[in-house]
Amino acid sequence: MRFTKDHEWVSLDGDVATIGITAYAAEQLGDVVFVETPEVGKSVTAGEGLAVVESVKAASDVYAPLTGEVLEANAALAEAPETVNQAPEADGWFAKVKIADASAYEALMDRAAYDAFLETL
Amino acid sequence: MTMQTVGRPTRPEDVQPLDSGFASLTGGRGLLQDEALIFERDGWGKTGVDLPAVDAAADDLGDLVRTSPIGLPGLSEPEAMRHYVRLSQKNHAIDLALYPLGSCTMKHNPRLNEKMARLAGFADLHPMAPLPTIQGALTLMDRLSHWLKTLTGMPAVALSPKAGAHGELCGLLAIRAAHEAKGDPRRRVLVPTSAHGTNPATAAFVGYSVTEIAQTDDGRVDLADLEAKLGPDVAAIMVTNPNTCGLFERDIIEIARLTHAAGAYFYCDGANFNAIVGRVRPGDLGVDAMHINLHKTFSTPHGGGGPGAGPVVLSEALAPFAPAPWVVHGPEGLTLVEETVEEAAQAFGRMSAFHGQMGMFVRAYAYMRSHGADGLRQVAEDAVLNANYIKARLSGVMTPAFPEGPCMHEALFDDSWLEGTGVTTLDFAKAMIDEGFHPMTMYFPLVVHGAMLIEPTETESKQELDRFCEALIALATAAKAGDVDRFKGAPYLAPMRRLDETLAARKPRLTWKPEPGVAPAPLAAE
Amino acid sequence: MRYLPLTPDDRAQMLGVIGAATIDDLFADVPAAARKSEPFDLPHHAGELEVERELSALAGLNRAAGAGPFFCGAGAYRHHVPATVDHIIQRSEFLTSYTPYQPEIAQGTLQVLFEFQTQVAALTGLDVANASMYDGSTACAEAVMMARRVTRRKRAVLSGGLHPHYAATTQTIAHAEGMDIVRQTVAIDAEAAVIEAIDSETACVVVQTPNVFGVATDVTAIAEAAHAAGALLIVVTTEAVSYGLLKSPGEMGADIAVAEGQSIGNALNFGGPYIGLFTCKEKLVRQMPGRLCGETVDADGRRGFVLTLSTREQHIRRDKATSNICTNSGLCALAFTVHLSLLGETGLRQLAAINHAKAQRLAKALAAIPGVEVLTKRYFNEIAIRLPGNATQMVEALLEDGIVAGVPFSRLDPAAGLDDVLLCAATETTLDEDIDAFAQALSRRIG
C-alpha cells in the first residue's frame, strides 16, 4: 500500500489501483455521511478530483493519487457510508482505477514514510 | 374555637428528589407536550374549514383530473390551534430572551410594523393591479428608496432582491453587466477568508472564480495581499464592513481606491449595516454596490428562517444596470418600469416575479419612520456600545479574538481559554441553553479557531446584558473548574437533548412515510 | 425612543466599564473622512400614532382587492386565509425566531418544516421537498440550474406558456451561471412545441401547468420525450390550489416540480413575500438547492428534527454550493402548512372544485359577450380572453365601473403582440354578483 500527503491510499494489483482515504483522514473527518464516487469509465488525472467525502459539517475533495480510468466505484458506500470510518483502508475503498504507469505508484510514500509524515503534522 | 380542618394542603410536601431524576408516567414533561406529526393523528378525512357545496362538475377537464388520493390529513380548528401552539413552545425567540447570534442581528421586532403590513391596502393588494389602484404602494416604495439612498449616500437602489444572498446576486450581476458593457468581461472575484459563505457561493453562481484574500493579525483585509491579487481580470471584491470579526475595516477607503484603480468594482456585504447606520454612509467609503438586509438592520422579523428582503444600493457607475422593476415619477403619478426595454435597455434583467418583498418594505419603512434619522444613529451607537460592554465584561474569563481596540456591533472570542478543559465551543454553547440563552454564532468566521461571535443588538437593556454576562461568566468558571459533564451532555433542560446529525445525514428521512401496519393509511378520495 | 432600552445613565456606566470616554471612541476605526457628523436630511423619530397615520394614508391610496369585483391572477391569487393562520404565524416563538440551527431549542420550527416538506411532496406527487425558496420564479431558475448539475448539460428549453416573469428571472439568473436558455414563442397552447426542441444537449424542459394563460396540460408525453433524450422535465405551477383538482406533476412524469405557494396561507402582499415550493425525485436530492429538514433522534433516543444534508449549502460548501440561498420563506411556509392542515385533503379538494366552478361561471358569462373570445379551453381558475381592442385600455375603462377586470397580457410581456389578451381569474372569494357585474360592464363597454 502507498500513501499521499493528501491522505489517500492506493494498493496495486497488476494495473488496477484500489484507492481510499487513510485511517488518519477518516478519524479527522469524523462521521462520514456520504461519498460521491466517480462514474465508471471516467478518466482521472493524478492530483485532480476523484471523489467527494462528506461529514455532517464538511465536504472534502479526494484526489486521484494516480492517472487512469475508473473501472469500478464502491457501490456499497451509498448504503453504508459509515464503512469509511469502520474500515477506511479495507472495505471503505472508494474506487478501482486502471492505471497506465505503475512507476508513479512506486513514487508514492510507503507506510513508514506516511507515518513519519503524520508525525510532522 | 371552631376547628375547620378540611381543605387542601397549602405548602409543598418535604419530599427528597429522586436520585435518578424524575420521569413522568407517560413521557410527558409538564406543560411541554410531546406532539405527534399531523400525519400521525386521526385526521384523514377531517377538515377545519367550512366551504360551500359545489354543484358544478369538472367534466371539461377530462383526464386532467386527479384520480389518486393526495395524502393530506386535516385538523379541526381547535386541533390545529393546539398543535401549532404546542410546537411553538419548543422554540427560542427574540421575544423570550437575548438571541446573541453574531452576524444575524436578532433585534426586537416591533408589532406596529406587523399591524401596518396587514392593512388591507398593502396585504390585500395584487402586484399586477392597475396602476391607478396602487399609488400608495408605489409611494411607499419611493419613500423607502429615498431613506435607503440617503442613509447609504448612494444614488440608486434596486428593491426587488428577496434576501441578502439574492441581493449579492443582484449586485454581482450589475457588476458583470457593467464590465460587459465596456467590452471587458472579467473572470475573478476577490473575497476575504473571513467572508460569509454566501459571498463565494454568489460569485461562483455568476460564473466568477473566487480568489481568497488573506487577513491581517488584527482581523482586517491584508492590503498587501489585496494589491498582489488585484489585476486586469478581477471584476470585483466582496468585502463585508464592518467585517465578520465585528471590526471596522480601517483601510476601507484605500481598499476602494486600489479596487477602482484596477478597474474592478467594490461590492460591500451590508449584513452588518446595523453597526454604522446613521453614522457612516457606505457611499462615502467608495462602495459600488451593497445589499441591505431589511430583516437585520431594519427589524423585519426573521420568521424562523425568512422571509427577508435584500435591496441593493448602487453607485452611479452601476445604476444603469439595475434590474427591473423600479418606480418612476410620471405625469399621472407614479408608475413602474417593468420591462428591460427603452430607458431600461441596459438593465441586466429581472431578479424575480413582480416587485420584491412589499410586506417587508412596509415593515422596514414603519421602523425607519419610528426611529427617524436621530433614532437610527442611536441604534448604531447602542448596538456598538452593547457589544463592547459584553466584550469588556467577558474578557476576564474568555479570550477575545482581537483584544486591541473597540469592536463594532459584535464581540468575537476564540476558544483558547477553553484549552485543557475538555470543553469545546459547541459544548459551551449548548450549556448556554440550559441557562436560558440561545447560543452565539459558533465556528464562524472560519479564520478564528473555535469562534464565538456575540451580537447583542441595541434592543437589549443593561440588565439583560448583565444577566447574560453573569451566566457566561458562571459557565466559563465551571468549565475551568472541570465540571465537564455539565457541558458534554448539554443541554439537559431544553425540549430536546443533543440531536444525532450523523444519523440524519446518513439515512435521510425528509418526509413522513406511513409505516406498514402501524400508521394509518391515507383514505382514498371520495 | 421606544425601541431602545438603554438610559443615558446606563450608557455612561457602560462606557466606564469599557474604559472609553465617549461613544465616539468606539467608532475610532472609522476613517475621519467617512464619519457623518451633520444630521441626515430625514425626519426625526415619530410615535406609533404618527407612523400609523402616515402608513394608513398610503394604504388608503391603494384599492384593496377585496374592495369590489376583482379578477387579477397571473401568478398571484386572492384566496381566503383562515384567521387561525395569521394568529399562529404571529406567535412570538415562530415570528421572532431565527433559522433553526440550534435544533434543541427550535423543534417547533423544525417539525413544521418536516410537515411542510411532507405536504409539498404529497401535493406535487414527488419524493422530497425542500424547506422553501423565495418564490415560484426563483424556484424555477434554481430548478433549471439543478438540471444542469444533474445532467451536466447547459441547454434549457422554456415553454412559451411559462409566466413571462418566470422566464425572465430564469433567463437572468441561469444564463448568468452559464446556461443557454431557449425561450419558445409565447402562445396560448405552447406546451406541445417543446417536444421538438429537445435534443441531446438539453438539460431540461420547463413547462407550466396551468400555464400563464390558464391552460391545464397533461405533460406525460413531454416527460417521455425529455427522458428519452436524457433530459429532465421541470413542471411549474403558479396556482397551488390547482393541486387539489388536477393530476400532480409527479403523476405525469416530472423530475422536478416548482410552484408558487402563495395561494395557500399567504396574502397577496403586492407580490411578496411569497413562498417557492421545490420538489424532486429522491435520487436527485443531493443536487437540490435550499435547506432540508430531516428526522433523527436525540441523546435520549427521542425523535426530533434537524436541518440536514447541509454540505450542499453555501455556509459549508461556499463556492461549490448548489445555491447561494440562505434566508428563505420560513414564516410563509408555516402559513402554508397551517392553512393546508386546516384544509386537509377534503378541504383542499373542495376548495379547488369551488375555484374551478367559479372560473366555469366566469368563462360562460364572458363567452356570451359578442366580441369576446375565451381562448382557454381547459383551465383551473384562470382564463385568457381576447377582446375586440386593447386590453390595458379596457381594464382602465372598467375601473371606472368599479371593476378590476384582470391582468392585460401585454403588461407581463409587451413584446408578445397579444395586446388584446386579458387574463382573468376567479377564486372562492369571487361572488357570482361580481361575475355578473363584470360581464355586464364589459358588454356595455364593447357594445
Side-chain angles (χ1 to χ4, degrees):
Chain A
M1 203 177 264
R2 290 286 189 277
F3 302 88
T4 71
K5 287 189 176 179
D6 297 317
H7 310 288
E8 292 96 9
W9 59 262
V10 196
S11 71
L12 198 61
D13 180 8
D15 60 355
V16 177
T18 303
I19 298 165
I21 63 169
T22 65
Y24 172 82
E27 166 77 27
Q28 290 291 310
L29 289 173
D31 292 344
V32 170
V33 298
F34 181 70
V35 178
E36 186 186 314
T37 51
E39 284 171 51
V40 172
K42 184 186 172 186
S43 295
V44 294
T45 308
E48 292 184 1
L50 172 75
V52 180
V53 56
E54 293 185 8
S55 64
V56 171
K57 294 293 176 197
S60 312
D61 290 321
V62 176
Y63 303 110
L66 300 166
T67 299
E69 184 190 319
V70 177
L71 290 179
E72 188 185 349
N74 188 353
L77 296 183
E79 279 303 305
E82 57 272 23
T83 312
V84 177
N85 292 113
Q86 289 159 357
E89 296 178 15
D91 290 348
W93 62 275
F94 285 17
K96 292 185 191 294
V97 173
K98 184 182 161 103
I99 61 165
D101 177 12
S103 66
Y105 173 81
E106 296 302 330
L108 298 172
M109 287 184 280
D110 62 14
R111 173 76 71 181
Y114 180 64
D115 285 347
F117 167 68
L118 290 182
E119 288 297 312
T120 67
L121 298 180
Chain B
M1 64 180 295
T2 53
M3 283 247 291
Q4 178 53 274
T5 60
V6 297
R8 60 186 174 83
T10 54
R11 57 162 73 158
E13 300 280 337
D14 188 13
V15 175
Q16 290 301 311
L18 301 178
D19 285 348
S20 56
F22 176 84
S24 69
L25 299 174
T26 57
R29 293 189 172 194
L31 298 183
L32 197 61
Q33 309 280 345
D34 257 343
E35 187 64 9
L37 292 160
I38 52 172
F39 311 97
E40 295 163 338
R41 307 171 60 100
D42 58 351
W44 305 103
K46 267 193 200 178
T47 182
V49 294
D50 292 318
L51 293 165
V54 196
D55 46 12
D59 46 13
D60 53 328
L61 284 167
D63 60 1
L64 287 171
V65 173
R66 182 191 274 279
T67 51
S68 55
I70 306 170
L72 295 172
L75 303 174
S76 67
E77 189 175 304
E79 290 172 298
M81 183 64 85
R82 198 168 276 172
H83 176 69
Y84 290 105
V85 170
R86 284 177 176 180
L87 289 184
S88 77
Q89 293 183 321
K90 299 174 190 218
N91 273 1
H92 183 73
I94 188 66
D95 285 350
L96 289 168
L98 196 142
Y99 212 132
L101 282 175
S103 238
C104 301
T105 315
M106 294 298 287
K107 63 166 74 174
H108 170 64
N109 304 131
R111 289 312 191 280
L112 172 65
N113 307 349
E114 295 303 307
K115 185 179 176 187
M116 294 301 96
R118 284 168 172 80
L119 292 171
F122 295 129
D124 192 24
L125 191 62
H126 192 283
M128 291 286 120
L131 286 169
T133 68
I134 58 170
Q135 289 298 305
L138 300 184
T139 305
L140 187 134
M141 288 167 74
D142 194 49
R143 289 186 190 168
L144 177 73
S145 299
H146 176 71
W147 277 74
L148 294 175
K149 289 187 288 187
T150 305
L151 289 170
T152 56
M154 303 281 279
V157 61
L159 288 182
S160 63
K162 288 179 171 278
H166 207 218
E168 290 176 30
L169 185 57
C170 174
L172 283 201
L173 287 172
I175 287 168
R176 194 173 121 144
H179 282 302
E180 282 174 358
K182 287 188 271 190
D184 180 21
R186 296 173 171 221
R187 292 271 49 98
R188 251 180 342 125
V189 167
L190 306 185
V191 179
T193 46
S194 59
H196 294 115
T198 49
N199 294 175
T202 305
F205 210 88
V206 181
Y208 289 121
S209 65
V210 176
T211 305
E212 291 204 328
I213 322 169
Q215 180 171 289
T216 57
D217 290 342
D218 68 347
R220 269 88 173 180
V221 169
D222 185 330
L223 273 187
D225 195 50
L226 170 66
E227 220 170 339
K229 284 173 178 162
L230 277 168
D233 62 335
V234 172
I237 59 162
M238 298 180 86
V239 173
T240 308
N241 188 43
N243 68 25
T244 59
C245 297
L247 302 171
F248 197 92
E249 291 285 351
R250 286 187 208 107
D251 298 321
I252 191 85
I253 292 173
E254 180 63 5
I255 291 171
R257 194 191 65 76
L258 289 170
T259 301
H260 291 149
Y265 292 102
F266 180 2
Y267 187 89
C268 182
D269 181 328
N272 295 337
F273 189 49
N274 199 52
I276 56 172
V277 62
R279 280 195 69 114
V280 179
R281 295 187 305 178
D284 295 335
L285 306 174
V287 166
D288 291 298
M290 181 180 95
H291 72 263
I292 300 164
N293 307 77
L294 297 186
H295 49 292
K296 294 181 180 176
T297 308
F298 297 110
S299 87
T300 74
H302 282 76
V312 176
V313 286
L314 298 165
S315 63
E316 290 292 353
L318 296 181
F321 305 99
W326 61 81
V327 177
V328 290
H329 293 260
E332 289 169 34
L334 295 168
T335 182
L336 276 164
V337 175
E338 293 178 276
E339 292 300 319
T340 54
V341 292
E342 295 166 8
E343 77 266 45
Q346 283 189 286
F348 69 69
R350 175 177 272 283
M351 293 301 297
S352 72
F354 310 128
H355 330 301
Q357 306 284 70
M358 184 64 176
M360 304 294 121
F361 300 162
V362 177
R363 290 172 176 88
Y365 182 69
Y367 176 82
M368 289 177 175
R369 284 291 290 113
S370 294
H371 264 311
D374 53 334
L376 288 173
R377 187 180 172 92
Q378 192 68 53
V379 162
E381 292 179 359
D382 285 0
V384 170
L385 181 64
N386 280 356
N388 277 283
Y389 182 69
I390 284 178
K391 184 181 170 192
R393 283 213 60 189
L394 296 183
S395 287
V397 288
M398 294 164 61
T399 42
F402 302 100
E404 295 302 315
C407 62
M408 297 302 286
H409 62 299
E410 52 196 358
L412 178 60
F413 297 88
D414 63 25
D415 64 355
S416 56
W417 62 281
L418 283 170
E419 211 174 300
T421 61
V423 175
T424 64
T425 291
L426 181 74
D427 299 330
F428 187 77
K430 297 293 186 193
M432 286 170 66
I433 296 173
D434 285 329
E435 305 301 328
F437 289 100
H438 193 283
M440 66 287 271
T441 292
M442 291 173 275
Y443 301 103
F444 180 84
L446 307 175
V447 291
V448 168
H449 198 270
M452 297 176 226
L453 186 62
I454 302 175
E455 179 179 6
T457 82
E458 74 284 0
T459 59
E460 297 303 330
S461 67
K462 179 171 176 295
Q463 195 173 14
E464 183 75 353
L465 294 175
D466 283 332
R467 203 171 73 82
F468 175 75
C469 290
E470 277 144 28
L472 263 62
I473 291 167
L475 280 174
T477 309
K480 289 175 186 176
D483 187 2
V484 175
D485 288 350
R486 172 179 300 279
F487 297 90
K488 285 289 169 201
Y492 294 96
L493 303 177
M496 290 236 107
R497 302 282 309 284
R498 252 185 251 194
L499 288 121
D500 188 343
E501 295 182 60
T502 297
L503 175 70
R506 274 185 183 162
K507 305 272 185 283
R509 289 183 64 145
L510 307 172
T511 56
W512 175 84
K513 288 189 180 70
E515 285 171 36
V518 179
L523 289 182
E526 288 158 31
Chain C
M1 286 175 209
R2 59 191 181 277
Y3 304 149
L4 299 176
L6 297 185
T7 64
D9 272 356
D10 291 335
R11 293 185 184 112
Q13 272 186 49
M14 291 163 73
L15 283 171
V17 171
I18 295 163
T22 69
I23 188 74
D24 289 339
D25 292 356
L26 302 182
F27 287 86
D29 287 333
V30 178
R35 287 182 207 159
K36 172 95 173 128
S37 48
E38 74 277 18
F40 282 84
D41 185 16
L42 291 168
H44 271 220
H45 64 278
E48 271 211 17
L49 181 60
E50 288 170 83
V51 176
E52 198 164 333
R53 210 174 263 150
E54 179 183 342
L55 281 146
S56 298
L58 289 180
L61 294 176
N62 300 323
R63 186 189 128 136
F70 181 86
F71 300 91
C72 290
Y77 299 89
R78 181 164 194 267
H79 290 285
H80 177 73
V81 178
T84 302
V85 174
D86 200 43
H87 174 81
I88 297 285
I89 70 167
Q90 288 201 70
R91 287 279 307 187
S92 289
E93 302 91 330
F94 285 130
L95 184 73
T96 77
S97 58
Y98 194 68
T99 305
Y101 289 135
Q102 299 299 320
E104 300 87 353
I105 45 174
Q107 284 299 304
T109 296
L110 285 161
Q111 184 166 335
V112 166
L113 291 178
F114 192 77
E115 294 181 354
F116 170 81
Q117 289 175 185
T118 305
Q119 287 173 324
V120 173
L123 284 174
T124 54
L126 282 156
D127 304 320
V128 287
N130 74 10
S132 80
M133 309 300 287
Y134 306 131
D135 73 347
S137 67
T138 53
C140 178
E142 290 272 9
V144 166
M145 291 184 289
M146 175 172 157
R148 179 190 181 174
R149 293 191 295 274
V150 171
T151 62
R152 298 171 197 230
R153 298 177 183 178
K154 288 170 72 171
R155 185 169 177 272
V157 178
L158 312 185
S159 155
L162 181 63
H163 192 297
H165 284 181
Y166 285 48
T169 301
T170 304
Q171 173 77 32
T172 299
I173 296 176
H175 176 70
E177 203 225 16
M179 293 197 69
D180 302 326
I181 308 292
V182 181
R183 186 183 173 198
Q184 296 202 297
T185 310
V186 174
I188 304 275
D189 276 305
E191 281 64 38
V194 299
I195 291 180
E196 272 139 60
I198 299 170
D199 63 18
S200 61
E201 301 297 309
T202 305
C204 61
V205 288
V206 181
V207 178
Q208 180 179 330
T209 179
N211 74 10
V212 70
F213 300 100
V215 178
T217 307
D218 189 331
V219 298
T220 308
I222 301 171
E224 285 163 6
H227 295 158
L232 304 185
L233 172 63
I234 298 168
V235 172
V236 177
T237 303
T238 59
E239 169 50 292
V241 173
S242 68
Y243 292 134
L245 180 65
L246 302 178
K247 267 189 195 164
S248 70
E251 284 176 284
M252 297 186 287
D255 300 283
I256 303 172
V258 295
E260 176 50 68
Q262 169 269 327
S263 282
I264 300 178
N266 287 275
L268 287 169
N269 286 326
F270 197 56
Y274 284 0
I275 171 169
L277 310 182
F278 197 115
T279 62
C280 68
K281 289 181 177 164
E282 185 136 36
K283 65 180 181 191
L284 306 180
V285 66
R286 289 198 177 261
Q287 295 302 337
M288 224 180 179
R291 294 184 194 127
L292 286 165
C293 171
E295 185 184 320
T296 188
V297 294
D298 78 353
D300 293 338
R302 298 163 71 222
R303 179 178 69 182
F305 303 93
V306 292
L307 293 179
T308 192
L309 303 184
S310 306
T311 43
R312 301 163 300 111
E313 293 182 69
Q314 48 78 25
H315 61 280
I316 293 179
R317 206 57 160 265
R318 298 175 80 84
D319 56 340
K320 290 185 179 126
T322 54
S323 167
N324 72 340
I325 190 168
C326 181
T327 294
N328 59 16
S329 298
L331 201 70
C332 305
L334 173 66
F336 181 99
T337 283
V338 178
H339 190 184
L340 196 53
S341 299
L342 283 164
L343 285 166
E345 180 136 0
T346 311
L348 180 67
R349 283 176 174 251
Q350 202 174 349
L351 181 64
I354 294 168
N355 272 258
H356 182 244
K358 289 287 182 186
Q360 284 176 314
R361 187 181 171 99
L362 176 67
K364 199 173 159 198
L366 298 181
I369 301 168
V372 173
E373 185 190 356
V374 174
L375 302 171
T376 311
K377 301 303 175 205
R378 298 214 292 180
Y379 48 82
F380 172 61
N381 68 354
E382 186 164 22
I383 53 172
I385 61 171
R386 177 160 281 140
L387 296 170
N390 182 287
T392 304
Q393 285 163 13
M394 181 59 79
V395 167
E396 281 170 14
L398 288 168
L399 209 48
E400 291 170 21
D401 303 325
I403 290 156
V404 179
V407 179
F409 189 79
S410 64
R411 178 147 177 218
L412 296 173
D413 189 352
L418 297 171
D419 294 356
D420 54 355
V421 172
L422 182 65
L423 308 179
C424 308
T427 73
E428 77 283 1
T429 65
T430 311
L431 297 170
D432 290 348
E433 300 91 279
D434 295 345
I435 293 171
D436 297 343
F438 177 20
Q440 280 164 20
L442 182 59
S443 178
R444 209 165 45 238
R445 293 273 172 189
I446 290 173

